[in-house]
Amino acid sequence: MTSTSTAERPAGTAGRAAPTPEHRRRTAPAGRRRTPFRLRHALTILAFLAPAIVFVCWFTYYPMLQGARMAFLDWNLWDLTSTPFVGMRNFEKVLSDPVFPTVAGNTALWVIGSLVPQFVLGFLIALALRKAFRFRGVYQALVFFPWAVSGFLIGMLFRWMFNAEFGVINDLLMKAHLIETPVPWLADPQLAMFAVITANVWYGVTFFAIMILAALQSVPDEMLEAASLDGAGKVRQLFSIIVPYIATTLFLTVLLRVIWIFNFPDIIWAMTGGGPAGQTHIITTWMIEFTQQGNYGTASSIGLIVMAFLFVFCAFYLFAMRRATK
């Protein structure tokens, strides 16, 4: 039996023991060897990451924690000799302020009134730019240009355009015989909110156009061609193929834009400063007003209220998005 099994072995292997797993690891080709992860490598990686970690912690998380702490203190910039702990008193002051309902309503109007036109116009622009045509790159550059400009600068620009005395808006409307006398856009409480929302719509359309255009590039042309051969029109293709295909991107883009608009006081602060008579104040411009008064404790409590609201909103929105995209 032994001689037979030995004879049946291939030449050159008689008398050799079967290779062990350790032997296979040692004799494996150089390209397949794994370099063991050592403590020295971990320390090297940490050394490269340390400057970024320190920078983010010092300039982001530390001020955030300090701001959260101020919300529970009577922190007034003009009297730092005494900053006693006041508990929830700052939050009570904000929520019981008679201005708060107006500010909350303006914030809702600001977000919804800006978001819906931005989404619709951005979607239409993205659909138009998806097809190849002459000078498409030039049109894309013109459409995307506003996103490269500061929001505060956009507010200053529209403040001049809506000026009652020498603004270009009144000038064009009067030349078109649509109005007879200049309209005080930014001095009228009923029109000021419309003016700042118009500026924000112009500024934010670009964001939706960029994001939706990028998503549309992923829709296979073969799928649209097959639907066209089956008799589906452009509208049917849009709502039955394109929208479901990019639904996740649309949901996330809307969420990001809601958060952005909610925390975007630049245009309002540049155009009206919250006026006239506080009629264009949103929650973040109201917070800025408290900081200018030196009342950092109340301003910090408003900041925490905004964070809490957005956290709850994002949780419900993501839950609804998950159910809708299943």
Side-chain angles (χ1 to χ4, degrees), residues 74-86:
D74 184 12
W75 189 286
N76 195 304
L77 186 63
W78 315 124
D79 184 18
L80 296 178
T81 57
S82 176
T83 55
F85 178 80
V86 294

Side-chain angles (χ1 to χ4, degrees), residues 127-141:
L127 288 174
L129 293 177
R130 183 176 182 268
K131 297 293 184 180
F133 57 89
R134 194 176 183 184
F135 301 120
R136 184 176 70 164
V138 176
Y139 283 101
Q140 287 180 342

Side-chain angles (χ1 to χ4, degrees), residues 194-208:
F194 170 79
V196 296
I197 288 176
T198 300
N200 196 33
V201 168
W202 182 86
Y203 180 63
V205 163
T206 300
F207 176 79
F208 277 109

